Every structure is written in C-alpha cells, then in structure tokens.
Amino acid sequence: MGSTPPVFIGAEEVEKHLHRASLLLPALEAALANFSAGAAGGVVQPVRTVLPVPRHGGYLGVMPAYSAADDALTTKLVTFYEHLKDSSVPSHQATVLLFDPSNGTLKAVLDGSVITAKRTAAVSAIATKLLMPAFSEVLCILGAGVQAYSHYDIFTELFTFKEVRIWNRTKERAVKFASSVGGPVRVCSSAQEAVTGADVIVTVTMATTPILFGDWVKPGAHINAVGASRPDWRELDDELMKNSVLFVDSRDAARTESGDVILSGAEIFAELGEVLKGTKPALPEKTTVFKSLGMAVEDTVAAKFVYDAWSAGN
C-alpha cells in the first residue's frame, strides 16, 4: 500500500483561507515570542540560505523551520529577481512544503506567494500596533507591488487613518494601486511628498539604494522597512537608521542579510518577539524602525493555518 500523495493548495485556495491576513495575528505573535525565547521557545530555524543565479540576476532562498508549539515542519523555497524584462512575472515567487513532523512525510505543497504577502503584512501590523505613535492619522506606502496591497489591506482593516498616501518609482503603478484598492489613496509625485508629516511609513520597494531619508521623517513616526533583503541593498539612509530605535524580527538575520542594518552600523534595540514577551519596551513615543526580513517560522504557522482550514473543509 503506497503512502498518500501530498495535496497541492494553489494560490486561489490559499487566498480563500487567508482572505484576511489578520486571521494570522495570534499565531504569528506567539511564533515571534517563541523565536525570541531561544531554545525554550521551541522554534528551530537557521538564517535563510540564499543561492545567487548570477547569469540571470536572480536568487533562490531556502527557509526551513520547525515550531514545537504548533508541531509544524516546513520549508519555503523563494526566488527573487531584481530587474525582470517581462513585468508579467512577479519579482518574488514562492512555494511552501509542509511535512508531517512525526515521520517526515510530505503532506502538502502550498503556493507560497500569497502566504508570504499575507504573513509579512501581518507581522508589519503587529510591529505597528506596538510602535506607532498615539493618534496616528497618516499612512504612507512607498512601493506599489504585491506587498503594498497586502499591507494596505491589513493596515486599513486594523487601524483608522484619515489619509493614505502612495509613491512608486513608476507613477502608473501607483495610480493603478489607488484606483484598485477599497478606499481613497493620494498618489504623490515624490517620495518626500508622500513621507512628509506621515505617522506610519511602509517601504515595500525593490530599491538597492536609499529612497527614504531621515530629514524627511516626522519625529516619532514609525517605519516598517520591508524591502532591501540583501546585505548590499538599502531603502533607508544612515541618518534615519542611526537616529531611530531599531526593532527587527531576528537579530541574526538582520546582521547577515539587511543592508540597512549592516551598512549603517545601526544598533539593534530589540527583536519584535522580545517586545511581545514583555522583556523589552516598545517606545512608541520615539521614532522607530521595524526592519522586516521575514522568518521561516512565519511561513510555518501560516502554512499550517491554511492546511488545517483546507483539511477542515475537505
């Protein structure tokens, strides 16, 4: 008798079960806190392995993790390509493999692109809930790709902003974004215009040199820096990195992978999980940066959530 073949859960099915990224918040908060608790937290996760594909300007990332609290074992395979001539192909593509941790059997293959977009935005929302200034009124998004949409969705669901602004290097994409999301969005003609006076800023770009500068940023603002996931890529300038209180998802990952952290020499104040556990303060009255690199355990809990929901429906 052969073993049961793994199920394939495609993008539409994943989207159906994760229609609101906020569904992931409790599991992600627990996973972040467990990760920052070290061995006692039961999260086993190396820093991701990134393989360059120099001939084509791309990268393949491998992100395995096990979470004891969820008894879930996964690995994500993610490709990211900087400057694709064919813009119909997304810059990031991903697949998550979910295993039975008791015997190593592959149980499911899940589209990882929707999972990545939703879990990344949900973690940014967790950081924002903890770190944004009181009475935040203006949200600014720099970038208009997949992550801009997922961040817009959860931020407008969880928080009440009076104004949402967007800037993108190619203005047409910002205009398309503004016309396709649910609420009013102001398209700005420069990043500086978008950022000036904003309380919460999200950077979701493919920039390799800074696009956000400290002297533009309102004192006390909170920044979620989501792009620039390579050690030589930047989104934020040195002034902003050095004059903000810096929070990260993983210290090890930030010191290995984040050009904004490595090249600025900025000091890391805390992991998000330490704030969630109560071992480090949030300091929402200060100018804060959350440098998000994304962690494998975030994919683990998101994939398990989707698989469990899919199983319940089948």
Side-chain angles (χ1 to χ4, degrees):
M1 209 172 91
S3 60
T4 311
V7 298
F8 177 71
I9 305 178
E12 279 184 27
E13 193 77 13
V14 173
E15 180 76 53
K16 186 174 95 180
H17 296 299
L18 281 185
H19 57 283
R20 295 204 324 278
S22 57
L23 295 166
L24 291 173
L25 292 175
L28 285 170
E29 289 187 353
L32 290 162
N34 287 336
F35 171 78
S36 292
V43 173
V44 185
Q45 167 192 287
V47 171
R48 91 188 89 203
T49 299
V50 179
L51 178 83
V53 189
R55 183 176 170 183
H56 299 288
Y59 301 88
L60 168 66
V62 183
M63 301 172 64
Y66 172 69
S67 169
D70 304 280
D71 197 25
L73 176 67
T74 63
T75 191
K76 182 166 80 175
L77 303 170
V78 56
T79 56
F80 46 109
Y81 280 67
E82 287 173 75
H83 304 295
L84 288 171
K85 291 179 180 65
D86 178 4
S87 63
S88 68
V89 178
S91 61
H92 291 62
Q93 299 178 75
T95 303
V96 180
L97 307 180
L98 177 75
F99 299 89
D100 181 335
S102 69
N103 61 20
T105 303
L106 179 63
K107 291 205 295 189
V109 177
L110 300 93
D111 174 87
S113 298
V114 175
I115 284 175
T116 302
K118 300 277 189 179
R119 64 79 156 147
T120 305
V123 172
S124 293
I126 292 166
T128 301
K129 186 172 69 172
L130 295 166
L131 303 174
M132 72 178 182
F135 314 113
S136 291
E137 296 187 344
V138 180
L139 170 65
C140 159
I141 300 172
L142 304 181
V146 171
Q147 288 286 0
Y149 287 89
S150 60
H151 278 75
Y152 175 88
D153 287 345
I154 191 167
F155 277 52
T156 52
E157 178 193 342
L158 295 181
F159 311 116
T160 310
F161 294 104
K162 289 186 177 170
E163 185 183 12
V164 181
R165 305 173 188 163
I166 188 165
W167 169 84
N168 191 63
R169 198 169 44 85
T170 48
K171 193 170 184 179
E172 305 85 63
R173 291 186 73 192
V175 170
K176 184 186 170 200
F177 177 96
S179 63
S180 59
V181 297
V185 176
R186 178 178 141 203
V187 176
C188 297
S189 51
S190 72
Q192 184 173 1
E193 179 195 338
V195 166
T196 302
D199 300 291
V200 175
I201 301 164
V202 179
T203 61
V204 280
T205 72
M206 287 292 281
T208 54
T209 56
I211 44 103
L212 179 60
F213 295 87
D215 61 357
W216 300 349
V217 174
K218 171 180 174 176
H222 170 63
I223 298 104
N224 297 292
V226 178
S229 57
R230 299 289 300 142
D232 54 346
W233 294 2
R234 300 290 299 265
E235 284 187 313
L236 281 50
D237 77 338
D238 284 358
E239 184 188 339
L240 182 54
M241 288 299 297
K242 287 181 170 167
N243 296 326
S244 305
V245 183
L246 177 59
F247 298 81
V248 297
D249 40 20
S250 158
R251 277 191 178 82
D252 288 345
R255 291 177 183 140
T256 310
E257 300 179 350
S258 167
D260 282 327
V261 174
I262 296 163
L263 300 175
S264 68
E267 194 179 323
I268 297 167
F269 176 71
E271 289 179 346
L272 204 51
E274 294 176 300
V275 182
L276 289 162
K277 285 193 306 166
T279 55
K280 284 284 179 85
L283 307 178
E285 68 283 359
K286 306 266 195 199
T287 306
T288 53
V289 169
F290 170 56
K291 178 58 216 161
S292 164
L293 285 158
M295 299 199 297
V297 73
E298 298 163 7
D299 302 310
T300 303
V301 298
K304 182 176 191 290
F305 180 94
V306 171
Y307 179 78
D308 289 349
W310 177 88
S311 301
N314 287 274

